[in-house]
Amino acid sequence: MTSPYANVPAPAVAADAEPIIRIRGLNKWFGKFQALRDVSLDVRRGERIVICGPSGSGKSTLIRCLNRLETHESGTVVVDGVELDDSLKHIGAVRSEIGMVFQHFNLFPHLTVLENCTLAPIWVRKQPRAEAEATARKLLERVRIADQAGKYPGQLSGGQQQRVAIARSLCMAPRIMLFDEPTSALDPEMVKEVLDTMVALARDGMTMLCVTHEMGFARAVADRVIFMDRGEIVEEAPPGEFFARPKSERTQRFLEQILDR
């Protein structure tokens, strides 16, 4: 069977390109539980990375550390030359470059779709309202939901709300997009419309890190698939190699479980 994502081209990423994200020796605890254990990772501009692993393996914690939604106890995170530390200036600079889409859509229920999309550009970027609305309408068109601009989130399906969440992130013109299990809260029939939107971003060369169990998406869209377990990166490889010849026994067990579903 032909994959619905088969036409996604490889990005023009030089193998020796300077990483846009550089993580070194990252450790994170929640009380006595160590969520991340000495994690190191480089992400080049334009790369599309899928992170998978069992529940509690540290996947979501890792990407939340990239925009300081979680603070790390040791190690370093550098995003486009800016190190994430306690400096509010540095945190603001990094967050201005990163868009994030969550499992639960986090839309403001009392605002229309258009207002959800224009709130941050107007208040954070100080864009004129007309400019922010024009950009938002263009991006809502891009995610194929422009006709819903005047509705409230509660009037939309889950798939539509998630596409609004993606458009809202894009309104801030991010250079990097983080996706934290963006389809796991959706009914099965709504998953494809969200994945299609993410595929379109991949075609445009957006740097993407996506935590997901959608292995069809990973096979066809990712440049690298990363498997995490117990807070560690156990294995990383291009999807062809990752799925056909996993090296770690832990990776093999995970794939046997998830691909048999």
Side-chain angles (χ1 to χ4, degrees):
M1 182 183 296
T2 302
S3 167
Y5 313 120
N7 294 322
V8 181
V13 181
D16 59 350
E18 184 69 18
I20 192 170
I21 298 173
R22 186 184 294 275
I23 303 168
R24 290 290 180 272
L26 203 64
N27 289 282
K28 168 67 183 175
W29 283 264
F30 293 104
K32 295 183 179 179
F33 174 71
Q34 187 168 1
L36 296 176
R37 300 173 183 270
D38 199 30
V39 172
S40 295
L41 177 68
D42 284 346
V43 180
R44 300 191 302 277
R45 198 178 308 275
E47 269 200 296
R48 304 172 301 220
I49 292 178
V50 165
I51 306 172
C52 61
S55 178
S57 60
K59 312 179 298 294
S60 295
T61 301
L62 175 60
I63 66 169
R64 288 172 66 88
C65 284
L66 297 182
N67 59 1
R68 203 66 170 181
L69 290 178
E70 298 289 355
T71 57
H72 53 277
E73 278 76 20
S74 64
T76 59
V77 177
V78 178
V79 179
D80 206 12
V82 178
E83 182 172 350
L84 263 178
D85 50 26
D86 292 331
S87 164
L88 294 179
K89 180 180 179 181
H90 289 177
I91 293 170
V94 168
R95 287 181 176 171
S96 71
E97 300 287 346
I98 292 180
M100 186 159 185
V101 177
F102 300 87
Q103 177 179 350
H104 300 288
F105 324 118
N106 291 359
L107 300 173
F108 294 107
H110 63 291
L111 300 180
T112 66
V113 165
L114 185 64
E115 289 168 340
N116 265 280
C117 290
T118 58
L119 186 67
I122 290 172
W123 290 98
V124 178
R125 299 283 198 201
K126 307 302 181 185
Q127 285 185 3
R129 182 174 299 275
E131 179 183 335
E133 289 186 353
T135 299
R137 290 185 187 279
K138 185 184 301 182
L139 290 168
L140 288 170
E141 180 71 36
R142 181 177 176 184
V143 301
R144 305 189 307 283
I145 204 168
D147 57 336
Q148 309 295 325
K151 291 185 178 180
Y152 291 89
Q155 298 174 285
L156 306 180
S157 71
Q160 288 174 322
Q161 289 187 61
Q162 194 61 293
R163 283 187 281 158
V164 172
I166 293 172
R168 179 182 60 178
S169 290
L170 294 175
C171 282
M172 291 292 285
R175 303 173 72 177
I176 301 163
M177 285 289 289
L178 308 177
F179 294 89
D180 189 4
E181 302 198 32
T183 61
S184 62
L186 301 178
D187 293 334
E189 64 270 20
M190 298 177 186
V191 169
K192 184 177 182 301
E193 64 187 64
V194 174
L195 291 179
D196 285 346
T197 301
M198 294 167 63
V199 168
L201 286 179
R203 289 194 179 105
D204 290 345
M206 175 68 75
T207 304
M208 298 169 59
L209 285 86
C210 181
V211 172
T212 184
H213 287 156
E214 297 291 340
M215 294 296 99
F217 176 84
R219 284 179 187 273
V221 177
D223 302 300
R224 274 189 290 163
V225 182
I226 291 174
F227 174 67
M228 294 187 67
D229 193 15
R230 300 177 186 177
E232 300 174 316
I233 293 179
V234 176
E235 187 162 348
E236 58 179 298
E241 179 182 338
F242 181 86
F243 289 105
R245 297 178 298 280
K247 296 180 176 63
S248 165
E249 186 177 327
R250 286 153 76 184
T251 308
Q252 293 169 16
R253 288 200 306 268
F254 174 78
L255 290 176
E256 286 170 1
Q257 292 173 348
I258 199 166
L259 295 178
D260 283 344
R261 291 178 183 174

